[in-house]
Amino acid sequence: MMTVNKHILRSITLSLIFCLASLGLMAQTTFTGQAPSTVTVGENFRVIYKVNADVNNIRLPELDGINILYGPSTQHSTSYSSINGKVTTSVENSFTYVMRIDKVGTYNIDPATITVEGQAVHSNALTINVIKDATSNSNATQGGQKQQSQSGSTQSSGNKDDIVIVQSLNKSSVYEGEAV
């Protein structure tokens, strides 16, 4: 009989801890948008919205002059930790869009909206400055041909349908078999 009471007491205690952890998350919802401040005409760029709540819907504002090429691509992350009896839970959802703007100017993206526990939550507004391609000049060749730069290295000047992949590592030295 004593073990049954301990088991029930332990279950109730764990339930209360998880409920309190969930209440702490609801009270502190943050929803932010990130985008580059400057892009060139016709350049594909990413707009990422992050929220620390469990949501699966997002409503974008009217995007005049901005083309959505892809999205949203969603990512979800949940982590639980228990340190000295204190249980914490963190949730992060991100929504990534690939966009392009085809005219020079300054573009404002009004706040996006999500709904958390029946409440509308708004992100920050974003401003993107679109400039002409700074590397283009009258001597550049077209159609993917090679050109010589001032430093003597060879560069490729492709068209805007080309795909460019840039790899950036987060470490300068790694061990064999180590993830980078």
Side-chain angles (χ1 to χ4, degrees), residues 17-31 51-54 76-80 87-93 116-117 121:
I17 289 172
F18 283 115
C19 288
L20 291 175
S22 298
L23 288 174
L25 281 177
M26 288 189 293
Q28 302 169 354
T29 301
T30 59
F31 181 38
V51 60
N52 67 341
D54 197 13
H76 177 82
S77 171
T78 304
S79 67
Y80 301 96
V87 177
T88 57
T89 304
S90 64
V91 175
E92 181 176 280
N93 282 295
V116 178
E117 298 291 322
V121 179

Side-chain angles (χ1 to χ4, degrees), residues 70-146:
Y70 177 77
S73 170
T74 59
Q75 291 182 325
H76 177 82
S77 171
T78 304
S79 67
Y80 301 96
S81 67
S82 176
I83 300 173
N84 295 330
K86 182 179 179 187
V87 177
T88 57
T89 304
S90 64
V91 175
E92 181 176 280
N93 282 295
S94 66
F95 303 89
T96 303
Y97 293 87
V98 176
M99 299 182 181
R100 182 175 65 215
I101 302 175
D102 295 324
K103 291 183 181 177
V104 173
T106 300
Y107 293 80
N108 296 313
I109 300 177
D110 292 331
T113 306
I114 59 170
T115 304
V116 178
E117 298 291 322
Q119 298 289 327
V121 179
H122 302 283
S123 71
N124 53 310
L126 303 170
T127 301
I128 301 171
N129 187 25
V130 181
I131 60 172
K132 286 184 181 180
D133 185 9
T135 61
S136 67
N137 59 34
S138 60
N139 296 332
T141 59
Q142 298 294 322
Q145 297 175 350
K146 304 271 183 183

Side-chain angles (χ1 to χ4, degrees), residues 9 26 44 52 54 62 68 94 124 141 150 160 176:
L9 184 59
M26 288 189 293
N44 296 350
N52 67 341
D54 197 13
E62 190 77 24
I68 298 176
S94 66
N124 53 310
T141 59
Q150 300 253 342
K160 68 179 181 180
E176 186 175 331

Side-chain angles (χ1 to χ4, degrees), residues 27-46:
Q28 302 169 354
T29 301
T30 59
F31 181 38
T32 58
Q34 301 170 339
S37 59
T38 303
V39 297
T40 59
V41 171
E43 174 186 2
N44 296 350
F45 61 93
R46 281 189 241 154

